[in-house]
Amino acid sequence: MRHKSHNYWSRAHVAGAAALTIGLLAPAVLTIGFAAPAQAATPAIGACYDYQIAVRDEVSSPAPALACTGPHTAETYWTGSLKPTFGPPSKATPGARLAATTACNTKTLNTYVAMPGRTLPSRWLSFAIFPTDTQWSAGERWVRCDAVLKTGLKLTNLTSKAADFVVASGIDYFNFCTPSQPNGRNTESYPCTDPKKNWIMVAARDLGGPGTKFPGTSNVEKRTRAICSKIAKRYNGASKFPSWWAIWPTDRGWKEGRREGQCLVPLAQYNKEVAPAVASA
C-alpha cells in the first residue's frame, strides 16, 4: 500500500533593591530606597489559558491565565526554569527548546489528564510555552507545558479541568482517528466513531532526541515503516495482510522539533482485536 511522509511537523529576575545611604553634616542620616521591579509569578500548574493552535509554532503566548470553569483551550501541567544563558526563547533553536522541556513527555501528560498507564496515542497534545521577548527582557525565566485537546484542525474549548473532562467522557473518546484514509498532509484528528472510514493511530514513536540531526528521509522512512509493519500485526483483525499507514517527519519537520513516526490502522481492523478484550474485561 502507499506510504506518505508527513510534512507537518511549538525565575523571575529581581533586580536587587539598592539602598543609598547619604551621610549629612547633621546628625540625621537619610536613607533613600530604590524599589525593585515587581517579580513575575511563575506559571502555576493547573492554570488555564485560551489560545489557538498556531501558538504551537510561535514559541510564546501572551494569553493570560483564566479560570478553568470558563472557556479555555489549554491547561498547564508542568513548569520549569530556564538558565540565563538560554537567551531569548524566540532565538533559541528547536533542539534547545526540546531539551528544556524533556519532562513534558506523554507519560507525564497522560497521568495529569487522568489517563495513567495509557500507551495508545490520544488527541491530547503537549504545547511548550516560553516567555515572550518582552517577558525575557524583564527577567522572566520560566517555561511551561500545557495540555491541549485537538479536534479536527483546532484546539477544543473546554469549561472544566482536563482530568474532570476525561473522567466524564471516558478514555476511549480521546482516541486519535482520521476521518478517512490518512496522508501526510491531512492532520485532522477526531473521536473514533466510524469503523467504515476512520483510521486510528496506534503508535507514535520518537525517532530522535533534542540534539540529533535529521538522519535523512530514507532513514526515517525505513525506521517508521519497520515500526508500523510490526505493530500492524498486533492489530491485524485476523487478516493475513493487515492494512497500515506510516507517517514520518520531513527534514523541515525535524528541524521544527516534530520527530515522531506515527502508525495508523483501519478502525474496523483495530476493533476486531480490541473489542473482544474489552468485552471480557
Side-chain angles (χ1 to χ4, degrees):
M1 66 179 291
R2 295 176 297 158
H3 307 284
K4 300 190 68 113
S5 63
H6 202 310
N7 74 329
Y8 178 80
W9 311 92
S10 132
R11 157 188 82 122
H13 168 73
V14 179
L20 173 64
T21 303
I22 304 175
L24 303 178
L25 294 178
V29 175
L30 175 63
T31 301
I32 304 175
F34 293 95
Q39 180 172 350
T42 299
I45 292 177
C48 291
Y49 300 85
D50 187 26
Y51 53 68
Q52 302 306 310
I53 197 168
V55 165
R56 173 189 46 202
D57 299 318
E58 294 172 357
V59 182
S60 304
S61 169
L66 305 170
C68 296
T69 52
H72 63 275
T73 57
E75 183 176 333
T76 298
Y77 73 92
W78 177 87
T79 62
S81 299
L82 300 170
K83 295 180 179 179
T85 53
F86 187 84
S90 66
K91 296 179 174 58
T93 64
R97 294 195 292 268
L98 282 175
T101 54
T102 53
C104 305
N105 52 51
T106 302
K107 180 179 179 181
T108 303
L109 171 62
N110 285 345
T111 299
Y112 184 82
V113 298
M115 300 192 302
R118 181 184 176 108
T119 57
L120 190 71
S122 80
R123 293 184 293 116
W124 285 102
L125 304 176
S126 178
F127 279 15
I129 307 295
F130 293 81
T132 63
D133 286 352
T134 299
Q135 291 170 328
W136 182 268
S137 297
E140 300 189 31
R141 299 292 183 266
W142 53 264
V143 58
R144 74 177 201 256
C145 287
D146 295 348
V148 302
L149 178 63
K150 185 181 176 186
T151 302
L153 294 173
K154 300 179 180 180
L155 299 186
T156 308
N157 272 300
L158 303 177
T159 54
S160 66
K161 301 286 282 188
D164 294 338
F165 185 63
V166 170
V167 172
S169 304
I171 60 174
D172 287 344
Y173 174 73
F174 303 97
N175 291 349
F176 185 123
C177 271
T178 57
S180 57
Q181 182 169 294
N183 60 66
R185 296 180 181 276
N186 182 2
T187 57
E188 292 178 287
S189 59
Y190 291 95
C192 302
T193 57
D194 190 346
K196 293 183 179 180
K197 295 182 179 181
N198 293 167
W199 285 59
I200 183 171
M201 188 179 296
V202 292
R205 302 288 174 80
D206 287 329
L207 302 179
T212 56
K213 294 182 179 180
F214 183 61
T217 300
S218 60
N219 188 294
V220 293
E221 176 184 351
K222 181 179 179 180
R223 291 170 61 187
T224 306
R225 286 167 60 93
I227 292 170
C228 295
S229 61
K230 182 177 180 179
I231 290 178
K233 294 177 182 178
R234 188 186 312 167
Y235 302 107
N236 58 34
S239 172
K240 293 183 178 180
F241 303 100
S243 298
W244 53 274
W245 199 275
I247 299 176
W248 52 85
T250 61
D251 185 9
R252 177 182 175 182
W254 192 279
K255 291 177 180 177
E256 293 175 350
R258 300 184 178 94
R259 302 174 180 181
E260 282 187 343
Q262 300 176 341
C263 307
L264 300 95
V265 300
L267 180 59
Q269 183 175 297
Y270 170 87
N271 284 345
K272 288 181 180 179
E273 295 297 320
V274 176
V278 173
S280 61

